């Protein structure tokens, strides 16, 4: 399926032209309303729980006595733990995924001594449906392992690894996948055959393992693939660091020889390139994550270590030539007596195209770091939010490539990796100074492949499997055109007056969209003339939350759109 996307507009998308020697992360925890949290940080997970297109966050403390859920209302995070029905929980692991057959992400908790699954009722309240669900073991990650359109759960016990296959309603059936004393995991399609494989790490000195998904069973291919590593592994992260289209592995380990970078050769084997890449790191590693923190199109590596007396954290900046440079201190992410983090979650909470960090652990126990890259250097981006229809609703496992002309970026949607990390689901493409994605290809778990061309930079776009994509750029108005649009009041509560005009005899479409490009309401067949006409849009008829939305008027040749704020 190929759809040509074009916008006729006099507004040019111009990349940032200012440079600075230091890109910084700013601690905005208190200013964003996250205060009064007790205990050492443990696990953290981003999720858009209420489908209002900004990221909410859940996290826990280390002693198992505290779990918190904060809703993002754009200007602040609001503690809704009690009102959501989730008070009194603890969690050593937090997972989000739509497993019950509706439109909202459900919550899976590993408390350390038991497991719980909470069904989301409406995005802001939850019901415990653990009894009869078949939830067992220690849930560590989620994927649709059999590609039946339902999200499954990967669980671990001291005996081995199992898949809890989902019936589609949140009832699971367990099937063993491998035997070994593993405690961390990441899902990846390392051989690009369309199903999710598993890499597993141990706490002690037992062998790590790569299990290949062969449909109805999993095959241990660790030795043949060249990824054997017998030491305690605290962090596992997956990403295409060299932009060759194949997913690589980075392991953060507790003991020498410290960390490992395995490069995927694309033939079923990996090479240990740790020393050549310069990313040996330190021992006693707690968490690791691939992330393009500076939007240059190359995945960097963040790694946290249990040594807050000196180096604590590392940000390995990808130099684009197979080597990395440690920039953690200059970014404000590492330093003496700066917390080592047991759990990290990367996601763009403020929708500015720069991926931010929520970190939990020792010393500075709960920290929201805002990424200030967009203020300091070329940092163009496209963020893609995906919704499966035949595939699982969260589109987990979807592979997306962005051809920029100079390089091809390969990303995938992943639901939990390592031990305490759950990054955001939207796919973030750093474009540096590129003004367009020339070709965007989406490979859904169902097997459907969709291709789009000429995607403008600096926008969030929303893709529905089989239903095309929509996107939001800045407000724009066409100079010298008869097409016009006005909205009032702005902000509004529930009623918005929309005034419009255009060339006589032209037929237009009027659409209300959220910031991801998802269509909230739509009217077509609107006849334009030179005189201004008006209509009233009633937000109460759409059952959408408060937030920022876009009113778009379009004809076959022109588009005009304006943002507005809907208040409660």
């Amino acid at each position: 399926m190929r759809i040509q996307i074009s916008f006729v507009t006099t507004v040019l998308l111009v990349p940032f032209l200012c440079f600075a020697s230091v890109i910084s992360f700013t601690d905005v925890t208190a200013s964003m309303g996250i205060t009064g949290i007790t205990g050492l940080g443990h696990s953290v997970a981003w999720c858009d729980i209420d489908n209002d297109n900004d990221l909410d966050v859940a996290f826990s403390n280390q002693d198992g006595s505290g779990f918190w859920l904060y809703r993002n209302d754009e200007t602040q995070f609001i503690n809704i733990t009690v009102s959501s029905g989730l008070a009194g929980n603890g969690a050593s692991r937090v997972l989000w995924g739509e497993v019950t057959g509706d439109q909202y992400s459900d919550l899976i908790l590993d408390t350390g001594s038991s497991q719980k699954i909470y069904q989301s009722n409406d995005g802001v309240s939850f019901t415990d449906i653990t009894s009869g669900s078949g939830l067992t073991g220690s849930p560590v990650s989620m994927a649709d392992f059999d590609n039946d359109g339902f999200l499954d759960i990967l669980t671990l016990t001291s005996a081995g690894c199992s898949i809890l296959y989902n019936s589609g309603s949140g009832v699971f059936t367990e099937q063993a996948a491998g035997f070994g004393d593993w405690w961390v995991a990441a899902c990846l399609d390392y051989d690009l055959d369309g199903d999710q494989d598993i890499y597993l790490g141990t706490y002690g000195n037992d062998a790590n393992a790569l299990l290949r998904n062969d449909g109805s069973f999993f095959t241990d291919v660790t030795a043949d693939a060249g990824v054997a590593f017998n030491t305690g592994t605290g962090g596992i992260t997956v990403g295409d660091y060299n932009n060759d289209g194949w997913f690589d592995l980075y392991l953060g380990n507790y003991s020498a020889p410290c960390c490992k970078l395995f490069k995927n050769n694309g033939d079923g084997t990996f090479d240990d390139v740790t020393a050549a890449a310069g990313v040996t790191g330190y021992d006693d590693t707690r968490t690791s994550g691939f992330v393009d923190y500076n939007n240059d199109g190359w995945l960097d590596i963040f790694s946290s270590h249990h040594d807050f007396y000196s180096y604590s954290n590392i940000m390995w900046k990808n130099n684009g030539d197979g080597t990395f440079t440690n920039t953690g201190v200059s970014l404000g992410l590492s330093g003496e007596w700066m917390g080592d983090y047991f759990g990290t979650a990367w996601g763009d909470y403020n929708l500015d195209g720069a991926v931010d960090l929520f970190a939990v652990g020792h010393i500075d126990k709960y920290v929201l770091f805002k990424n200030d890259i967009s203020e300091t250097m070329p940092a163009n981006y496209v963020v893609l939010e995906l919704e499966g229809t035949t595939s699982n609703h969260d589109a987990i496992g979807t592979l997306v490539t962005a051809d920029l002309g100079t390089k091809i970026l390969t990303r995938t949607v992943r639901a939990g990796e390592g031990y305490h990390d759950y990054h955001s689901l939207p796919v973030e493409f750093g474009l540096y100074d590129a003004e367009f994605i020339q070709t965007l290809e989406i490979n859904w778990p169902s097997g459907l492949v969709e291709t789009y061309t000429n995607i403008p930079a600096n926008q969030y776009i929303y893709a529905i499997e089989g239903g095309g994509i929509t996107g939001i750029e800045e407000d724009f108005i066409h100079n010298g055109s008869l097409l016009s649009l006005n909205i009032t009041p702005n902000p509004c509560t529930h009623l918005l007056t929309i005034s419009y005009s255009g060339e006589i005899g032209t037929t237009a479409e009027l659409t209300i969209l959220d910031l991801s490009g998802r269509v909230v309401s739509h009217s077509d067949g609107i006849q334009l003339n030179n005189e201004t006409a008006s209509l009233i849009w009633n937000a109460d008829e759409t059952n959408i939350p408060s937030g920022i939305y876009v009113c778009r008027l379009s004809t076959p040749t022109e588009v005009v759109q304006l943002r507005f704020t809907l208040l409660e």
Side-chain angles (χ1 to χ4, degrees):
M1 178 178 182
R2 180 177 290 270
I3 298 177
Q4 179 77 26
I5 298 178
S6 59
F7 297 96
V8 180
T9 173
T10 57
V11 173
L12 298 177
L13 295 169
V14 180
F16 298 101
L17 297 177
C18 54
F19 293 82
S21 59
V22 177
I23 303 166
S24 63
F25 285 77
T26 303
D27 182 347
V28 296
T29 318
S31 63
M32 289 301 296
I34 301 173
T35 59
I37 309 302
T38 60
L40 302 180
H42 202 56
S43 184
V44 58
W46 290 115
C47 180
D48 180 8
I49 61 170
D50 48 3
N51 292 342
D52 67 347
N53 306 300
D54 52 29
L55 293 175
D56 314 292
V57 67
F59 51 91
S60 64
N61 67 13
Q62 194 174 80
D63 62 16
S65 65
F67 168 85
W68 297 270
L69 176 61
Y70 275 76
R71 182 177 64 83
N72 185 349
D73 75 351
E74 298 174 21
T75 60
Q76 290 272 295
F77 283 88
I78 309 300
N79 188 344
I80 63 168
T81 313
V82 174
S83 63
S84 67
L86 296 172
N89 279 303
S92 62
R93 184 65 157 156
V94 181
L95 297 175
W96 293 101
E98 196 294 290
V99 297
T100 55
D102 55 25
Q103 299 293 307
Y104 294 104
S105 291
D106 307 299
L107 174 66
I108 293 92
L109 297 178
D110 179 8
T111 70
S113 59
S114 63
Q115 302 76 39
K116 292 184 177 181
I117 178 170
Y118 285 90
Q119 181 175 7
S120 177
N121 302 316
D122 52 9
V124 292
S125 67
F126 295 81
T127 300
D128 187 340
I129 61 169
T130 308
S131 178
S133 67
L135 188 63
T136 186
S138 176
V140 296
S141 189
M142 306 183 74
D144 182 4
F145 292 98
D146 54 0
N147 287 341
D148 64 352
F150 305 130
L151 198 56
D152 311 308
I153 301 175
L154 170 64
T155 68
L156 302 177
T157 68
S158 59
C161 166
S162 293
I163 308 300
L164 303 183
Y165 287 101
N166 187 1
S167 66
S169 61
V171 177
F172 299 88
T173 301
E174 182 180 8
Q175 179 177 320
F179 301 96
D181 188 11
W182 302 301
W183 79 311
V184 293
C187 300
L188 73 159
D189 184 5
Y190 84 96
D191 50 4
L192 297 186
D193 65 350
D195 52 28
Q196 293 296 300
D197 313 298
I198 306 167
Y199 191 86
L200 299 145
T202 63
Y203 182 76
N205 293 320
D206 294 325
N208 287 1
L210 175 63
L211 304 183
R212 187 182 66 211
N213 188 341
D214 287 328
S216 59
F217 61 94
F218 287 80
T219 302
D220 189 331
V221 296
T222 313
D224 290 342
V227 289
F229 190 58
N230 301 346
T231 187
T233 302
I236 300 174
T237 187
V238 177
D240 178 17
Y241 81 91
N242 56 350
N243 289 334
D244 67 352
W246 297 90
F247 292 109
D248 313 296
L249 284 163
Y250 188 76
L251 312 180
N253 299 288
Y254 280 98
S255 54
C258 304
C259 304
K260 285 289 183 183
L261 176 60
F262 286 108
K263 180 178 72 70
N264 190 334
N265 296 319
D267 59 2
T269 68
F270 292 76
D271 284 339
D272 180 351
V273 297
T274 313
V279 291
T280 303
Y282 304 102
D283 59 8
D284 211 351
T285 305
R286 298 307 171 106
T287 182
S288 295
F290 277 115
V291 59
D292 183 4
Y293 79 89
N294 55 359
N295 278 4
D296 66 353
W298 298 94
L299 287 177
D300 314 295
I301 305 171
F302 180 78
S303 190
S304 181
H305 307 272
H306 187 45
D307 186 346
F308 42 80
Y309 303 104
S310 52
Y311 47 78
S312 70
N313 307 312
I314 294 175
M315 176 62 86
W316 294 115
K317 177 184 175 295
N318 191 333
N319 298 319
D321 59 1
T323 68
F324 294 76
T325 301
N326 184 8
T327 59
V329 173
S330 64
L331 295 174
L333 292 174
S334 182
E336 184 178 359
W337 288 95
M338 185 171 183
D340 64 320
Y341 302 120
F342 290 172
T344 55
W346 290 92
D348 181 14
Y349 80 90
N350 57 353
L351 303 179
D352 66 352
V355 62
D356 311 295
L357 171 64
F358 202 115
V360 299
H362 282 156
I363 312 301
D364 47 349
K365 304 175 182 66
Y366 305 89
V367 190
L368 175 59
F369 288 104
K370 182 174 74 72
N371 187 340
D372 298 322
I373 178 181
S374 60
E375 303 170 6
T376 58
M377 66 177 293
N380 289 351
Y381 66 90
V382 164
V383 179
L384 176 64
E385 186 174 350
L386 298 148
E387 179 181 325
T389 52
T390 303
S391 303
N392 68 88
H393 178 269
D394 293 323
I396 291 165
T398 302
L399 184 147
V400 188
T401 59
D403 187 344
L404 308 185
T406 56
K407 63 174 71 77
I408 299 177
L409 313 181
T410 304
R411 305 287 186 264
T412 190
V413 183
R414 187 170 291 109
E417 63 180 20
Y419 188 50
H420 303 296
D421 308 330
Y422 192 102
H423 310 302
S424 65
L425 296 184
V427 176
E428 296 133 351
F429 289 110
L431 308 184
Y432 192 60
D433 60 355
E435 297 185 24
F436 288 88
I437 294 177
Q438 294 185 8
T439 304
L440 181 73
E441 183 176 282
I442 305 174
N443 292 264
W444 300 89
S446 66
L448 177 66
V449 179
E450 296 178 297
T451 304
Y452 306 94
T453 59
N454 297 331
I455 309 297
N458 299 328
Q459 61 171 325
Y460 267 68
I461 58 179
Y462 192 84
I464 299 176
E465 183 179 12
I469 69 173
T470 52
I472 298 298
E473 298 170 82
E474 296 297 325
D475 297 344
F476 54 81
I477 297 176
H478 299 279
N479 297 324
S481 170
L482 294 177
L483 190 65
S484 67
L485 177 69
N486 187 48
I487 53 178
T488 187
N490 187 13
C492 66
T493 52
H494 59 286
L495 297 179
L496 183 71
T497 299
I498 303 172
S499 302
Y500 56 88
S501 65
E503 186 176 0
I504 291 178
T506 302
T507 301
E509 296 183 4
L510 187 64
T511 311
I512 305 295
L513 310 100
D514 60 31
L515 282 185
S516 72
R518 187 186 326 214
V519 175
V520 171
S521 64
H522 174 77
S523 298
D524 55 14
I526 296 176
Q527 298 300 311
L528 302 178
N529 57 57
N530 292 333
E531 296 183 0
T532 300
S534 297
L535 58 82
I536 303 295
W537 176 71
N538 189 348
D540 294 343
E541 296 175 353
T542 62
N543 193 31
I544 59 174
S546 60
I548 299 175
Y549 293 88
V550 172
C551 179
R552 174 183 290 175
L553 182 68
S554 60
T555 69
T557 59
E558 294 182 298
V559 180
V560 57
Q561 64 185 31
L562 297 171
R563 298 191 186 203
F564 66 94
T565 301
L566 176 65
L567 304 176
E568 293 183 354

